[in-house]
Amino acid sequence: AAIELGRRVTDYHTEREHIGSPTDVYQLLKGELTGLKQEVLYALYLDLKMNLIAAKKIYIGSLNQSLIHPREVFKYAVKHSAYQLILVHNHPSGDPAPSEEDIAITKKFIEIGELMQIRVVDHVVVGDGRYVSITEEMRRKRQNKRPHR
């Protein structure tokens, strides 16, 4: 019964916790994602004001594009009437540096979200005591590629 209660609390938050930054995401899920032997993907479903509607564990295993099905992520977004979402996963190595695969998955989900009118705000990678926001990394790289005037 205690395990089931813990699962329900993790899967469906009833509190309206505000998620305003990647740090908030890390604080919310670091206990769930640190020190695991395999990758776990969560989706955080948010309302218009970035308040948490629900957190759902989507996938356990090795993450790659062929295994993560967007329909699983977006079906819960529709179910919870989420306006936007944040993807979160861990790196069992402890190094939160995003892989090329992580970046490709993020871009794919952003595109699908645009089609569905459900904004993908971020994809946060959690390591041992550290985290990286993939959307912040992509933004930083775009800015560095711009020619200086």
Side-chain angles (χ1 to χ4, degrees):
I3 292 170
E4 178 63 16
L5 179 60
R7 185 188 66 76
R8 287 183 185 180
V9 167
T10 300
D11 286 353
Y12 300 102
H13 282 267
T14 55
E15 299 173 13
R16 292 294 179 144
E17 186 169 348
H18 182 74
I19 307 294
S21 69
T23 302
D24 294 340
V25 172
Y26 175 71
Q27 291 300 323
L28 179 69
L29 289 175
K30 70 180 176 182
E32 300 292 325
L33 294 173
T34 302
L36 299 177
K37 300 281 188 237
Q38 56 191 157
E39 292 188 9
V40 175
L41 173 73
Y42 275 84
L44 303 179
Y45 300 100
L46 309 165
D47 66 14
L48 179 66
K49 296 181 179 181
M50 298 291 288
N51 295 314
L52 183 64
I53 297 169
K56 178 76 177 151
K57 188 184 298 182
I58 301 293
Y59 185 79
I60 300 172
S62 179
L63 298 183
N64 68 46
Q65 283 183 301
S66 62
L67 293 176
I68 300 174
H69 297 288
R71 68 178 166 267
E72 290 300 312
V73 172
F74 287 101
K75 110 176 143 181
Y76 292 107
V78 172
K79 177 181 177 184
H80 294 293
S81 298
Y83 179 78
Q84 48 203 344
L85 64 88
I86 298 173
L87 299 170
V88 189
H89 84 276
N90 66 311
H91 280 175
S93 68
D95 180 4
S99 66
E100 291 301 318
E101 189 78 15
D102 293 336
I103 293 166
I105 288 169
T106 303
K107 290 176 180 177
K108 176 180 172 182
F109 273 85
I110 289 170
E111 289 174 15
I112 294 166
E114 287 173 358
L115 290 172
M116 295 190 67
Q117 297 180 352
I118 299 171
R119 184 173 167 239
V120 177
V121 177
D122 204 348
H123 184 171
V124 177
V125 182
V126 174
D128 290 338
R130 302 177 294 153
Y131 64 90
V132 172
S133 162
I134 293 177
T135 54
E136 285 181 1
E137 289 291 309
M138 291 186 327
R139 192 174 308 120
R140 209 172 286 125
K141 285 180 182 178
R142 277 194 309 267
Q143 289 174 346
N144 289 339
K145 287 184 179 179
R146 288 185 187 160
H148 296 346
R149 294 181 187 198

